[in-house]
Amino acid sequence: MMTARFGSGFSVLLILTLVSAPLLAANLQVQLPEELPKKFKRNIRAHLGDLPDTESERESFVFTATDKTRTALQAMGYYRSDIDIRVDKEVVVDDEKIWRLFIDVVLNEPTRYSQILIDIQGEAELDNQFIELVTEIQTKLLKSQDIVDHSVYESVKSKISNLALDRGYFEGRYLRSRLAIRDDFTSADVELVYQSGRRYYLGEVNYSEFDLEPELLEVLIPFDVGEPYTSQKLLQFQNLLQQTQYFGNLLVVPDLKNPVNQLIPIDVTLGETKSHYVDVGFGYATDTLFRISTSWRTPKINSKGHSQETKIEYSQINPTGRFTYRIPLSHPLKDLLQFQVTFEDDEYGGLVGKYLEGRVGNVRIYDHWSAQYYVRFLAERWRIDQFPDDEVESGTYLMPGMMLSRTSRKGPQLDPSWGFSQYYIVEGGAEGAGSDISIARAIARWRFITTPMRRHRLVFRGELGISDIFDAPKTQLAPSLRFFAGGDLSIRGFDYQSQGPTEIINEGEFAGEEIVVGGKRIALASAEYQYYFTEKIRGVVFTDAGNATDDIRIDPVYSVGLGLHYISPVGAIRVDFGYGISEDDPSWKLHINLGAEL
């Protein structure tokens, strides 16, 4: 038998209502002592309830006010309070005569806990979760000489019984549960004796009718038959089923009425999902200007769990279309064969281009990492922005590669207090094996967020990249495979993709003009300090640095700036002003962006 005996005390969970102003109805006003602490006022007013509307209700309200006030104070551990009630029936408000009820309170000394007994019996006696709960109660919730708090006492009872239900002790019950106030009201004792009974185990899963291959659902079950019951396992199972998007409403519940040898069958009700979803979205960033997007999703095409998504995004800078088709392999969430076709028009510094990409990949989830092993074929055409359409370069590339990413965070998803994101790509192709040139590429991006003190938040960002084409001329490297710096998510204070290696136009009406053509390497870094004026509004100061280059040596550009961010329901709306301090004649640049930081 696991037993803990020690002294303790409670503090009350208060019911919120109006705090300081008098309670006023059409025919009655309630006045509490000005010096009475707010928490007592709130609890008294909560116990008094709604104010009366009629004369008969007013009489009853005044008659019961003393008892209700006493109950409110006793719930907070003040059993020896003095309560005096008087009524002024001649008060005039807005030319109407009403009653004013004065409730005077003298708290006096509170009642404190003396002895507490918590006794867990049955199979839960040796359950680590119950041992931890008793330790928490002993060290944090119930301590000797604390003021009696009925709400904490009830909370402790609920914690014990809820933990029993969560962990499969369905026969659990209290043998004794009492809060005993001594006759002189100076102290109180608590006795909680809980008999858990035997523990139950997870049984077979029974599904309602569905039209998928059974193996797709079987691999989602996060437990084995005969494993000790926990409600968290059922919640995890339900979340996995929801993530597949194969079903509409679904429910995972234990069949507590029909256990078999302490095995609890699990009933899963699967609702039909919509055949098609169509979404429309809008966005704005200073890099790409206004953007409108529409997507068409089919979450379940056939009984094998195939799905597709078609998305078209239009903006003045880079209109994009993408079609993605997914086929589950060994797991509908963690192991997918993915086919993807993408086309895009884009501007890259002083270049404009169009590309078509086809990609076949295996998407895998490893614990906290997401991975994709792929082969992609890229066909791209590009030209200098000022040149006519018939003066174009083109290239084709067949590149196997791997992409890894991981994001960890603490706190709200849209505004985490701590977070670290990692993103890596390695890919390459060989001349004569589907590619015009031999190429090797690697990209790494990091973002780190920390909140060392309340209201003070730091954000760090870094990026490294290389596109090595060996002895081939850079003119054979497509712009989408080059690197450019500058813009909202790069180096603020500079225009979008305005930084990097340049070339001078040698002919035509634009002869002598210098344009940015991008580089084979990039290195970027950013540091940002954020101060929260409120929970939703923060001020920002930052510095960004880095550049794109063609060789190992980097000639970085620098910027500093400030901004104001608003935490909206869809992510932070970031308005930043950057100043390129490495320019000869810099000017302030406005950067506006919307979305989550991780």
Side-chain angles (χ1 to χ4, degrees):
M1 180 174 64
M2 179 176 66
T3 305
R5 183 186 297 272
F6 43 88
S8 175
F10 289 83
S11 61
V12 74
L13 175 66
L14 298 177
I15 304 172
L16 296 179
T17 183
L18 297 176
V19 179
S20 57
L23 293 180
L24 177 64
N27 58 14
L28 178 68
Q29 185 184 76
V30 176
Q31 183 72 56
L32 294 169
E34 193 67 34
E35 67 277 8
L36 188 66
K38 291 181 179 179
K39 64 179 182 178
F40 294 99
K41 292 180 180 179
R42 286 195 295 263
N43 216 36
I44 290 171
R45 287 169 174 165
H47 278 76
L48 288 174
D50 295 334
L51 293 177
D53 293 322
T54 65
E55 290 190 9
S56 60
E57 289 177 350
R58 181 173 62 184
E59 295 281 356
S60 177
F61 187 95
V62 171
F63 181 77
T64 60
T66 300
D67 289 339
K68 290 180 178 179
T69 301
R70 181 174 291 107
T71 300
L73 296 173
Q74 288 177 351
M76 303 177 71
Y78 287 80
Y79 280 80
R80 292 181 285 178
S81 301
D82 294 327
I83 301 169
D84 181 39
I85 288 193
R86 56 189 177 86
V87 179
D88 183 350
K89 300 183 179 181
E90 301 297 327
V91 177
V92 177
V93 175
D94 295 333
D95 298 327
E96 297 289 336
K97 184 179 290 187
I98 67 169
W99 290 7
R100 176 171 291 160
L101 174 63
F102 295 92
I103 304 177
D104 291 326
V105 174
V106 178
L107 293 175
N108 296 324
E109 284 298 311
T111 303
R112 298 179 183 272
Y113 280 100
S114 177
Q115 295 293 322
I116 296 174
L117 170 68
I118 300 178
D119 185 1
I120 306 298
Q121 301 178 3
E123 291 187 14
E125 174 188 351
L126 301 178
D127 190 318
N128 287 334
Q129 294 292 316
F130 274 89
I131 294 173
E132 291 177 7
L133 177 59
V134 170
T135 301
E136 178 189 3
I137 294 170
Q138 178 180 357
T139 57
K140 298 180 179 180
L141 300 179
L142 303 179
K143 294 181 292 182
S144 180
Q145 298 308 306
D146 279 355
I147 297 172
V148 167
D149 189 326
H150 286 247
S151 66
V152 172
Y153 167 75
E154 295 297 334
S155 173
V156 167
K157 287 179 60 179
S158 296
K159 283 178 180 289
I160 293 172
S161 56
N162 288 341
L163 182 60
L165 292 175
D166 287 344
R167 297 184 63 76
Y169 300 97
F170 298 118
E171 299 171 351
R173 69 190 191 283
Y174 279 101
L175 301 180
R176 289 186 298 280
S177 60
R178 67 187 188 94
L179 170 58
I181 308 297
R182 296 183 181 177
D183 291 342
D184 60 0
F185 300 116
T186 60
S187 61
D189 298 328
V190 168
E191 183 180 22
L192 295 175
V193 180
Y194 190 82
Q195 169 58 249
S196 71
R198 58 184 178 172
R199 189 174 188 181
Y200 284 79
Y201 301 89
L202 293 160
E204 296 286 347
V205 176
N206 303 311
Y207 298 95
S208 64
E209 185 177 350
F210 62 93
D211 58 354
L212 286 167
E213 298 288 340
E215 294 80 7
L216 289 172
L217 303 187
E218 294 299 325
V219 296
L220 294 172
I221 301 175
F223 55 83
D224 297 321
V225 173
E227 186 176 321
Y229 179 96
T230 63
S231 60
Q232 287 78 8
K233 287 290 185 181
L234 300 189
L235 181 60
Q236 181 184 357
F237 185 26
Q238 180 160 313
N239 287 338
L240 290 172
L241 289 169
Q242 289 173 335
Q243 289 176 37
T244 66
Q245 301 184 19
Y246 293 152
F247 311 103
N249 296 327
L250 63 90
L251 189 63
V252 177
V253 295
D255 184 1
L256 301 179
K257 296 182 179 180
N258 299 295
V260 180
N261 298 324
Q262 290 183 246
L263 295 175
I264 302 295
I266 308 302
D267 293 337
V268 180
T269 303
L270 302 172
E272 286 292 329
T273 189
K274 294 181 180 178
S275 298
H276 304 281
Y277 290 85
V278 177
D279 301 311
V280 177
F282 301 90
Y284 178 84
T286 48
D287 286 352
T288 56
L289 305 180
F290 285 100
R291 177 181 296 273
I292 181 171
S293 65
T294 180
S295 64
W296 164 41
R297 293 184 295 116
T298 309
K300 185 176 64 177
I301 293 176
N302 53 34
S303 63
K304 297 184 182 297
H306 295 197
S307 62
Q308 74 83 27
E309 180 176 7
T310 303
K311 186 171 185 178
I312 297 176
E313 294 183 322
Y314 178 79
S315 73
Q316 183 177 338
I317 302 297
N318 61 330
T320 305
R322 179 176 291 114
F323 170 75
T324 305
Y325 193 92
R326 299 181 181 92
I327 301 174
L329 297 177
S330 64
H331 194 286
L333 296 173
K334 297 182 178 182
D335 185 12
L336 301 168
L337 179 62
Q338 181 170 282
F339 300 90
Q340 193 171 78
V341 177
T342 304
F343 63 87
E344 181 172 330
D345 288 1
D346 210 341
E347 299 179 7
Y348 308 89
L351 306 176
V352 293
K354 303 175 184 289
Y355 75 74
L356 175 68
E357 177 190 279
R359 182 188 298 239
V360 179
N362 179 207
V363 179
R364 303 292 297 270
I365 305 296
Y366 304 104
D367 293 329
H368 303 293
W369 287 92
S370 297
Q372 184 177 158
Y373 310 97
Y374 62 85
V375 176
R376 69 169 175 140
F377 176 78
L378 174 66
E380 188 161 351
R381 294 167 56 86
W382 66 94
R383 61 178 174 84
I384 295 175
D385 191 15
Q386 293 89 339
F387 283 15
D389 291 340
D390 57 354
E391 296 188 30
V392 299
E393 301 281 352
S394 64
T396 58
Y397 313 84
L398 182 66
M399 295 182 291
M402 177 181 69
M403 179 174 62
L404 287 173
S405 65
R406 176 177 180 174
T407 299
S408 304
R409 62 169 62 85
K410 297 178 182 177
Q413 184 166 353
L414 294 178
D415 189 36
S417 58
W418 181 93
F420 183 42
S421 68
Q422 306 171 69
Y423 177 83
Y424 307 98
I425 289 180
V426 178
E427 62 183 5
E431 182 179 0
S435 294
D436 292 345
I437 58 174
S438 294
I439 181 172
R441 303 185 75 236
I443 300 172
R445 297 188 183 107
W446 305 273
R447 186 184 289 267
F448 178 69
I449 295 173
T450 185
T451 308
M453 295 183 292
R454 183 175 177 269
R455 293 183 180 271
H456 302 270
R457 190 169 184 254
L458 301 173
V459 179
F460 301 96
R461 174 169 49 87
E463 178 178 350
L464 294 173
I466 180 173
S467 287
D468 196 338
I469 55 175
F470 306 100
D471 295 327
K474 193 173 72 174
T475 54
Q476 292 186 267
L477 183 64
S480 68
L481 302 177
R482 305 183 194 183
F483 297 103
F484 299 80
D488 300 346
L489 304 178
S490 178
I491 304 176
R492 289 162 288 187
F494 298 88
D495 290 331
Y496 178 54
Q497 297 188 343
S498 64
Q499 301 300 306
T502 61
E503 289 183 5
I504 296 177
I505 299 176
N506 295 320
E507 57 186 34
E509 62 178 304
F510 298 101
E513 182 175 331
E514 188 177 34
I515 61 170
V516 177
V517 296
K520 294 183 288 186
R521 291 173 173 81
I522 194 168
L524 302 174
S526 173
E528 185 170 297
Y529 166 74
Q530 302 172 348
Y531 178 79
Y532 285 79
F533 298 108
T534 70
E535 290 185 358
K536 299 293 185 181
I537 299 175
R538 66 191 182 209
V540 174
V541 293
F542 63 84
T543 179
D544 298 340
N547 211 338
T549 183
D550 281 331
D551 50 37
I552 297 298
R553 186 182 65 84
I554 290 183
D555 184 16
V557 296
Y558 305 91
S559 70
V560 295
L562 48 85
L564 192 66
H565 297 178
Y566 171 72
I567 314 303
S568 77
V570 294
I573 300 174
R574 300 186 290 274
V575 180
D576 296 327
F577 295 88
Y579 189 76
I581 58 176
S582 56
E583 287 190 310
D584 293 334
D585 186 21
S587 60
W588 288 96
K589 300 291 185 183
L590 172 65
H591 300 275
I592 301 175
N593 220 315
L594 167 65
E597 290 177 290
L598 290 178

